[in-house]
Amino acid sequence: MINIFLLLRVIMEVTYKAPKLIAPEEEDFITTMPDDVVTNILDRLPIQDAVGTSILARNWRFKWNMLSQLVFDDDFFHYLSYKAGDTNNYGCIISRLLFHLNGAITRFVLRRKLDDENVSHWILFLSRKGIKDLTLAHDGITPFKLPTRFFSCLEFKHLKLYNCCLSPPPTFLGFPNLLSLQLFRENSELGEFIIRCPLLEILILYDSDKVGKVKLDEIAQLKNLKILSFSLSHLNTTMTVSSYNIFELLDSLPKLQVLHLNFKDYKLTKGGAKKRFPAAFPSLKALKLYRIDLCNGENLSCAFELIKSCPNLQTLEILAIQQEADPIPIPEVEYNITGLKSVELINLKGSENEVHLIKYLFACSPLLKMIVIRPRYSLAPGEQLMFARKLLMLRRASA
């Protein structure tokens, strides 16, 4: 259990450079700290501990009313269960707590099974309190349909929605201030929604089995994107995707710095890699290719082209899968120089394509400081030994 009084005393000493030993006649800095300092301290504590500061002194009895960031997570509900023995009535407890808060509420996090009535009331209340950062994680079987009031909170800057259903009304014109959007198990049509958030810098889509469909040209309209994470299975099934389509998307996102692309067993259409996209992507610094079949010629060519088209790429992570039974011709690649510093290759089996990729990374990355290669767990000891021998034959690996 955190000693709240001791914690505040330490913070006070650092902030005000007060002596560690305070005589009784000296001023009590804890009870006279500025409100903004108090709020900063309270926001860093779990809610139950922040409320518990009311026992510190008479003047601190209602200091917790200045909380501006509320996190109702597993720790909070475990505490509630320990104290009350029942968390089914958590809605009433949260409502009472919100009613006592005085200032602005900038961040609200709730991870629980959501119900329509409470969430609707809370969002209405939070919209009047200047809410900017909202996380709702629905612990239920069917997605939670967000209330209409949710779409009137135009001050949102950061949204994280887990297992929630976005169904904006016809009058919804978008969130003009939204900077980051993370969706998990969302099953609505996303295209029309995201293009109405023109300032988006971060777009992360999880769990492609249930996330709604979107088109590449809709993502391409988000000119301010700096971080993009999505799966090819998110895309509208009416279109086929080639590596050229991916390069075309990157060319339309001039500020993109981080790309996480989940192939999820997806095989790119043939012919795309032959259309050499002339543009380079100098802003891209981190690339993650997840569940990519390196034994598939089109996918492997796409990986090579992405790496060579990013001259300032610093970190690369590839999680491979193997589906093709027949050997695939290794693509011809020009050995250009990249700024790669860190590489992690996961779930490799030692195929010729994989070794060729590693050889290329060694040859074209003079600044490379670390490369981590994790073989498949299912490889037999003899296969692991053969893989290791192939790697040691590479020039920089044996140096």
Side-chain angles (χ1 to χ4, degrees):
M1 179 64 68
I2 298 176
N3 189 321
I4 302 299
F5 185 82
L6 178 60
L7 175 63
L8 292 175
R9 178 66 68 183
V10 171
I11 295 174
M12 176 273 296
E13 290 174 357
V14 173
T15 304
Y16 295 94
K17 297 181 180 179
K20 293 184 179 181
L21 297 176
I22 301 178
E25 63 273 9
E26 293 181 354
E27 183 180 2
D28 186 350
F29 285 101
I30 288 183
T31 58
T32 59
M33 283 191 292
D35 286 350
D36 59 336
V37 176
V38 173
T39 301
N40 195 303
I41 294 172
L42 293 174
D43 284 340
R44 296 172 185 270
L45 298 175
I47 291 178
Q48 58 270 24
D49 291 341
V51 176
T53 60
S54 59
I55 66 173
L56 290 176
R58 186 186 301 272
N59 293 342
W60 270 74
R61 185 176 181 183
F62 297 108
K63 291 288 188 181
W64 66 271
N65 291 7
M66 294 187 293
L67 276 169
S68 65
Q69 300 185 29
L70 304 174
V71 179
F72 301 100
D73 55 8
D74 290 340
D75 290 338
F76 171 80
F77 289 108
H78 287 160
Y79 172 85
L80 197 63
S81 177
Y82 172 75
K83 288 295 184 180
D86 181 19
T87 59
N88 292 329
N89 198 29
Y90 76 92
C92 180
I93 296 173
I94 294 177
S95 296
R96 289 175 60 188
L97 189 146
L98 290 175
F99 178 76
H100 284 87
L101 298 181
N102 295 326
I105 302 176
T106 57
R107 181 169 179 250
F108 185 89
V109 178
L110 176 60
R111 295 185 174 94
R112 201 65 175 173
K113 186 175 182 179
L114 308 179
D115 64 89
D116 296 336
E117 184 176 357
N118 279 324
V119 172
S120 182
H121 288 315
W122 296 338
I123 288 179
L124 177 61
F125 178 84
L126 294 170
S127 65
R128 297 170 179 172
K129 289 285 189 174
I131 185 68
K132 293 179 173 60
D133 187 337
L134 178 67
T135 298
L136 293 177
H138 176 50
D139 184 17
I141 299 176
T142 58
F144 175 76
K145 185 177 180 181
L146 294 167
T148 304
R149 288 171 177 170
F150 169 85
F151 300 96
S152 62
C153 300
L154 301 182
E155 295 187 28
F156 281 145
K157 288 189 174 182
H158 307 283
L159 276 178
K160 295 181 183 179
L161 303 175
Y162 296 77
N163 198 21
C164 295
C165 181
L166 284 169
S167 298
T171 56
F172 176 66
L173 299 178
F175 292 128
N177 300 309
L178 194 64
L179 299 178
S180 69
L181 176 64
Q182 298 185 41
L183 301 177
F184 181 83
R185 295 179 63 189
E186 195 342 274
N187 63 351
S188 306
E189 292 295 328
L190 301 179
E192 287 296 322
F193 179 83
I194 64 173
I195 62 177
R196 295 178 183 178
C197 306
L199 297 185
L200 266 182
E201 296 179 355
I202 300 174
L203 176 61
I204 299 177
L205 306 177
Y206 298 103
D207 196 349
S208 57
D209 288 337
K210 297 185 179 180
V211 173
K213 300 301 179 181
V214 65
K215 298 178 181 178
L216 286 178
D217 58 354
E218 292 168 333
I219 299 177
Q221 296 183 45
L222 305 175
K223 302 299 182 181
N224 292 307
L225 272 187
K226 296 180 180 179
I227 299 176
L228 173 61
S229 176
F230 76 105
S231 170
L232 292 176
S233 58
H234 290 147
L235 301 178
N236 194 299
T237 55
T238 59
M239 66 173 295
T240 57
V241 181
S242 68
S243 57
Y244 186 84
N245 299 130
I246 296 175
F247 302 144
E248 194 174 33
L249 170 66
L250 296 181
D251 190 50
S252 65
L253 303 175
K255 299 181 180 181
L256 193 66
Q257 299 177 11
V258 178
L259 174 64
H260 291 178
L261 185 59
N262 186 350
F263 282 71
K264 197 171 173 43
D265 313 336
Y266 192 95
K267 296 179 182 179
L268 298 174
T269 58
K270 294 182 178 181
K274 296 180 181 179
K275 299 179 181 179
R276 302 299 289 266
F277 203 86
F281 314 117
S283 298
L284 202 63
K285 297 180 180 180
L287 176 64
K288 179 177 180 180
L289 304 178
Y290 187 71
R291 296 188 67 178
I292 180 173
D293 183 6
L294 295 177
C295 291
N296 177 272
E298 295 298 324
N299 289 359
L300 182 64
S301 295
C302 179
F304 273 117
E305 292 294 331
L306 281 173
I307 295 169
K308 68 171 293 184
S309 299
C310 303
N312 297 317
L313 191 65
Q314 296 180 8
T315 62
L316 171 67
E317 181 179 339
I318 295 179
L319 174 62
I321 61 170
Q322 290 81 27
Q323 289 186 330
E324 295 283 350
D326 300 326
I328 299 296
I330 298 173
E332 296 182 3
V333 182
E334 298 175 2
Y335 282 72
N336 64 307
I337 302 299
T338 73
L340 267 175
K341 297 180 181 180
S342 174
V343 173
E344 185 171 6
L345 306 174
I346 306 171
N347 199 37
L348 302 189
K349 68 174 184 179
S351 68
E352 292 302 317
N353 284 4
E354 294 168 346
V355 174
H356 185 64
L357 175 61
I358 297 170
K359 180 181 178 181
Y360 169 72
L361 293 174
F362 278 139
C364 74
S365 309
L367 300 180
L368 189 62
K369 295 181 179 181
M370 180 184 71
I371 181 168
V372 177
I373 301 174
R374 305 184 190 277
R376 296 178 65 179
Y377 290 111
S378 59
L379 284 184
E383 293 175 315
Q384 294 182 20
L385 180 60
M386 183 63 68
F387 189 11
R389 287 176 177 174
K390 291 180 181 179
L391 295 178
L392 290 175
M393 291 176 64
L394 300 179
R395 182 175 179 181
R396 288 180 64 182
S398 59

